Amino acid sequence: MRRFLSAAMLAALSTTSSAFAADLAVKAPRMAPPVETFSWTGCYVGGHIGAAISQDRTTNVFGQVNNFSSTGFVGGGQVGCDYQFAPNWVIGAEGRAAWSSLKSTHASSVTNLGTGLMVPAQFSLGNDFLASATARLGYSVAPAWLIYGRGGAAWTREKVTDAFTIPGGPAVAPTASSTRTGWTVGGGAEWMFAPHWSTNLEYNYYDFGSHTTTLVDAARNVTVSGMNLRDQIHTVTVGVNYRF
């Protein structure tokens, strides 16, 4: 009996060990965590804020040149779409519009072409609006990082005033306001820090060329003509985009 019980226990232990070994042999391996992927394909909407520098030049009818500059802030919004291909290149398009605080005021002079009399004046130029429509080409240097260049059309709203006092008469402030069309080029870097969010830092140069403007004070029937104005703007901005 004792031998029979010992044999039975050994058989049971052998069967249990075999079953346990079989369970270990067929146990499924642990799955590796999924690899996070990034894609720049899609559209986005966002906002930006930054600093701006305006470099301007005026030339009067006598050929006298005056260079001046101003600094200010820009802030606005943007909307665009991107498409990633081949496999790290990204092409896209973006439209943006911003308010600007750019304004420069400096001493100047105005000459009466009939009498030759020259009087001191206070000249000011402001840009209160800045917009662009650009194409963008970038390269994804890392899964969540994009460097890019951009270029396209640009617009700004200029307001020019040349205030002076007529000798023996009233103070006048001839003014001209217009929307100027030009071009822009720039570049930057963008980081996708969350599945639907990205932030960027970029520089843009805007050139609105030269044009001749006529300033008018309709209330005093005073006109200042023949002024040629060249307007260039540089901006550095930080932006945030929501991607969908």
Side-chain angles (χ1 to χ4, degrees):
M1 179 63 69
R2 184 177 299 171
R3 292 179 180 176
F4 176 76
L5 290 176
S6 298
M9 291 180 64
L10 288 173
L13 287 173
S14 176
T15 303
T16 303
S17 299
S18 299
F20 182 68
D23 289 342
L24 289 177
V26 300
K27 187 175 181 179
R30 176 177 292 182
M31 296 295 293
V35 178
E36 190 172 11
T37 59
F38 293 87
S39 175
W40 295 97
T41 298
C43 296
Y44 59 88
V45 61
H48 64 273
I49 189 171
I53 300 175
S54 177
Q55 295 178 317
D56 308 293
R57 183 183 69 217
T58 57
T59 307
N60 63 20
V61 293
F62 302 104
Q64 296 173 324
V65 177
N66 191 0
N67 295 296
F68 55 97
S69 63
S70 62
T71 59
F73 296 97
V74 291
Q78 66 272 356
V79 60
C81 292
D82 289 320
Y83 176 70
Q84 186 167 347
F85 64 101
N88 296 98
W89 290 96
V90 177
I91 190 170
E94 181 183 280
R96 61 170 50 197
W99 165 83
S100 166
S101 68
L102 285 170
K103 187 174 183 179
S104 174
T105 301
H106 60 89
S108 65
S109 62
V110 174
T111 302
N112 187 314
L113 296 180
T115 64
L117 179 66
M118 184 175 67
V119 297
Q122 194 79 0
F123 178 87
S124 67
L125 168 64
N127 300 85
D128 63 359
F129 177 75
L130 193 61
S132 63
T134 58
R136 184 167 85 156
L137 178 64
Y139 186 82
S140 182
V141 295
W145 285 91
L146 180 73
I147 57 173
Y148 58 88
R150 64 189 308 131
W155 299 267
T156 188
R157 186 165 55 220
E158 294 176 347
K159 185 177 181 180
V160 184
T161 303
D162 212 3
F164 59 95
T165 300
I166 299 174
V172 297
T175 301
S177 181
S178 64
T179 299
R180 301 281 301 142
T181 300
W183 57 272
T184 180
V185 65
E190 189 163 3
W191 173 43
M192 193 182 298
F193 62 88
H196 293 285
W197 292 92
S198 65
T199 183
N200 60 52
L201 173 67
E202 66 178 60
Y203 161 80
N204 289 294
Y205 167 76
Y206 300 84
D207 194 317
F208 298 98
S210 300
H211 67 104
T212 300
T213 184
T214 298
L215 287 64
V216 177
D217 185 337
R220 302 292 185 178
N221 194 27
V222 175
T223 299
V224 176
S225 60
M227 178 184 294
N228 184 271
L229 173 64
R230 179 172 177 82
D231 195 4
Q232 300 167 302
I233 297 174
H234 306 260
T235 65
V236 176
T237 59
V238 176
V240 176
N241 292 318
Y242 177 78
R243 296 182 165 271
F244 50 89

